[in-house]
Amino acid sequence: MNVLLVDDQEKILEATRKLVNWNKLRVDSVFTANSAAAARKVLADEEIDIMLADIEMPGENGIELQKWVAEEYPSVACIFLTSHADFTYAQKAIHNGAIDYILQPASMATIEESLEKCIRKLEAKQSILHKSSQYDANLANILKNHVFSMFHQKAQFGQLDEWRRDSHTEGEGWWYLPCLLRIWEADSQEVEEMLNLELEKTMLDGSEVFAVASRLNDEEIGILIYGNGMIPERSFMESRIWSVCEGHIGEKNLYMGQCGGEELPQLIGQVMAFKAGRILEKNEVYHVDAAIPYEIRQPDSAVWGRWMLRNDTELIKNQITNLLRFAQKDRYLTVSYMQKLIHAFLESCSIACYEQKHNLTELFTDTFTYEKMLHSYSSVDELSKGVDFCLRRYRELISERADNSSFSVQERIQEILRYLDENMDRMISRREAAKYVFLNEDYFSRMFRRETGMGYKEYIVKQKMDYAGKLLVDTNMPIALVASKVGYDNYTNFTQTFRKATGLTPTDYRKQYHNMPKSEN
């Protein structure tokens, strides 16, 4: 197998030639060309199987080169590696028969995966050409290669036309149902062989329904069920697959996609996207339907931190339990979402421990470490136990400090003053401020005046105008930017408020202080 790399940038050519694991891909020789003209010469002199080409090049571009190659060397497969995400390029590439379209920057693993799929496709074609007399014997492997390729496709470069030809499903009335089998502690190669053998028996039981299973990796088997005419109930096909698995495979999950025709690549994409990273119960069947919009509930470490300071640990525990329950119900319980919960929880613990003059490490022991909590995302039960442990340890740490077990009014007002100072560039309403420290809005106003000697609005204006004055004097920042720094989007409103507070416009205020004589040391 020989590969030709085409790119007008020598550094990219050299990096690709050196960093791709060509031995692993079973590639014999790698040739390079820095222009379309140089590529034509290599193609004329050498037997090239795959061309990995850039699109934007001086003179003749990659699309034009590919069109010429498709006419002169139709057996050469083409993959584009480009930084131009232009859909018209992709359309032309597909029309000319490109195998894949990889957008830069791309990892070597992504490039190698595309080359691997391309090589498998070429090997399947070569198998047909070299062993035409054994076509029927090789057909099963050819179909498995097609299924493998379609389940791994990146941008709907599925070989649907070639599949139809090889599987004899050309014409109208054909439908397809993609499924994914996730297995644990089983040999995926043996499972693939067993499924193809058993499904052939069960699916052909008095119905025009067929199935091909293809091993995708050590844990996943792609299954494509197809037929012509009336589509059986999905539950019927589910029961057939499940009954085959029951006698041979232990722990497993089955993801049943939707039935369709020409939109098969999208249907496969839905199945693969559904299972990606989700933490689901084993030995369950999941029906993958079109995505339903839902609101992903996000954790709030700042709120949790305040609850911990008030010793409302049960409130945190209940909210985390609810977040996990909602995520399971709406099926967005992914590893990344679990990690987000863990990080938010640890951040809230850090906030509370700092305020209580404790170290976060005091929440952990030799048997339950910080690292163990950080990686407790493999199951809901594991995460819940970690949260329980940390909250219990926190309560133990503060049990001897009764004076810290309540969140007094004075502490709440000091907390909101700190919050206002940290968010100077925002207009924080009285309602938001009261909610932030869990007080009734009217009661908050009375307590705020008692603690600060000013009403809430009066304090906000003074705080912002004092800071604006400091920026006007100490910096050369444009006045419009000063206004935004203190939360005013409207320049006119800022100028009027500043003049009312200081007796001067921002411009006059800056001039007055800049013209004042500097004091001598």
Side-chain angles (χ1 to χ4, degrees), residues 377-396:
Y377 48 73
S378 64
S379 69
V380 170
D381 184 59
E382 183 183 17
L383 176 54
S384 299
K385 287 179 179 177
V387 168
D388 284 344
F389 182 89
C390 292
L391 293 178
R392 185 172 65 253
R393 287 282 296 169
Y394 176 77
R395 288 193 297 269
E396 292 171 357

Side-chain angles (χ1 to χ4, degrees), residues 184-292:
W184 285 266
E185 298 181 0
D187 187 320
S188 57
Q189 189 66 52
E190 292 181 2
V191 172
E192 178 201 74
E193 294 172 1
M194 180 273 297
L195 284 171
N196 281 308
L197 180 63
E198 296 297 326
L199 288 176
E200 182 180 3
K201 298 176 184 177
T202 58
M203 289 298 177
L204 290 175
D205 184 16
S207 61
E208 290 295 318
V209 180
F210 311 91
V212 175
S214 180
R215 172 182 174 272
L216 306 181
N217 52 53
D218 290 341
E219 298 176 337
E220 295 173 342
I221 311 292
I223 303 173
L224 185 60
I225 303 171
Y226 58 102
N228 191 277
M230 183 177 294
I231 304 173
E233 291 291 332
R234 189 157 55 166
S235 58
F236 162 79
M237 292 179 282
E238 170 194 321
S239 64
R240 290 297 179 97
I241 298 175
W242 200 252
S243 63
V244 169
C245 295
E246 283 288 12
H248 301 85
I249 308 170
E251 294 181 324
K252 57 195 171 294
N253 277 347
L254 178 61
Y255 306 90
M256 300 286 295
Q258 293 179 290
C259 280
E262 294 294 334
E263 69 275 25
L264 177 60
Q266 295 95 312
L267 300 180
I268 292 175
Q270 286 179 10
V271 174
M272 300 302 282
F274 179 88
K275 69 88 189 176
R278 277 179 168 78
I279 301 171
L280 302 172
E281 296 295 326
K282 295 179 182 179
N283 297 317
E284 293 287 341
V285 177
Y286 293 95
H287 287 189
V288 182
D289 297 315
I292 300 173

Side-chain angles (χ1 to χ4, degrees), residues 63-116:
I63 296 292
E64 294 166 340
L65 173 63
Q66 179 213 4
K67 185 177 180 181
W68 177 83
V69 170
E71 294 172 354
E72 298 296 325
Y73 301 94
S75 63
V76 175
C78 183
I79 298 172
F80 280 121
L81 182 63
T82 180
S83 58
H84 294 272
D86 189 331
F87 182 67
T88 58
Y89 280 152
Q91 283 183 313
K92 291 178 181 178
I94 296 169
H95 178 75
N96 293 341
I99 298 297
D100 210 344
Y101 188 95
I102 305 172
L103 285 176
Q104 292 277 40
S107 66
M108 286 301 116
T110 299
I111 296 172
E112 288 175 2
E113 183 181 351
S114 180
L115 286 165
E116 169 84 25

Side-chain angles (χ1 to χ4, degrees), residues 218-432:
D218 290 341
E219 298 176 337
E220 295 173 342
I221 311 292
I223 303 173
L224 185 60
I225 303 171
Y226 58 102
N228 191 277
M230 183 177 294
I231 304 173
E233 291 291 332
R234 189 157 55 166
S235 58
F236 162 79
M237 292 179 282
E238 170 194 321
S239 64
R240 290 297 179 97
I241 298 175
W242 200 252
S243 63
V244 169
C245 295
E246 283 288 12
H248 301 85
I249 308 170
E251 294 181 324
K252 57 195 171 294
N253 277 347
L254 178 61
Y255 306 90
M256 300 286 295
Q258 293 179 290
C259 280
E262 294 294 334
E263 69 275 25
L264 177 60
Q266 295 95 312
L267 300 180
I268 292 175
Q270 286 179 10
V271 174
M272 300 302 282
F274 179 88
K275 69 88 189 176
R278 277 179 168 78
I279 301 171
L280 302 172
E281 296 295 326
K282 295 179 182 179
N283 297 317
E284 293 287 341
V285 177
Y286 293 95
H287 287 189
V288 182
D289 297 315
I292 300 173
Y294 50 75
E295 178 185 358
I296 298 180
R297 296 163 174 82
Q298 302 292 350
D300 191 331
S301 59
V303 171
W304 290 355
R306 293 197 301 276
W307 288 350
M308 289 186 74
L309 287 173
R310 293 165 46 192
N311 206 18
D312 285 339
T313 55
E314 284 300 313
L315 197 56
I316 298 173
K317 179 181 174 182
N318 289 340
Q319 184 166 95
I320 291 176
T321 299
N322 286 334
L323 288 173
L324 291 169
R325 180 170 57 82
F326 286 129
Q328 283 183 308
K329 177 178 175 291
D330 292 333
R331 293 185 175 179
Y332 59 82
L333 186 61
T334 62
V335 170
S336 61
Y337 184 74
M338 295 272 277
Q339 289 173 327
K340 186 177 292 186
L341 284 178
I342 292 167
H343 284 290
F345 175 68
L346 288 174
E347 186 176 345
S348 68
C349 291
S350 181
I351 293 169
C353 286
Y354 176 80
E355 293 294 332
Q356 298 285 13
K357 296 180 173 56
H358 285 288
N359 195 307
L360 179 63
T361 57
E362 295 180 66
L363 296 185
F364 303 97
T365 65
D366 292 339
T367 56
F368 189 82
T369 63
Y370 175 84
E371 288 72 23
K372 187 172 182 179
M373 181 65 208
L374 199 62
H375 294 88
S376 59
Y377 48 73
S378 64
S379 69
V380 170
D381 184 59
E382 183 183 17
L383 176 54
S384 299
K385 287 179 179 177
V387 168
D388 284 344
F389 182 89
C390 292
L391 293 178
R392 185 172 65 253
R393 287 282 296 169
Y394 176 77
R395 288 193 297 269
E396 292 171 357
L397 287 176
I398 65 171
S399 61
E400 297 179 359
R401 301 177 62 187
D403 58 317
N404 286 334
S405 62
S406 61
F407 195 27
S408 68
V409 171
Q410 291 82 0
E411 289 173 325
R412 294 172 195 238
I413 299 303
Q414 289 303 313
E415 172 67 15
I416 200 60
L417 294 181
R418 180 192 63 76
Y419 183 69
L420 292 173
D421 192 53
E422 290 179 352
N423 293 272
M424 187 75 72
D425 60 343
R426 290 180 54 218
M427 284 296 185
I428 297 172
S429 67
R430 185 182 72 159
R431 173 175 296 180
E432 180 184 347

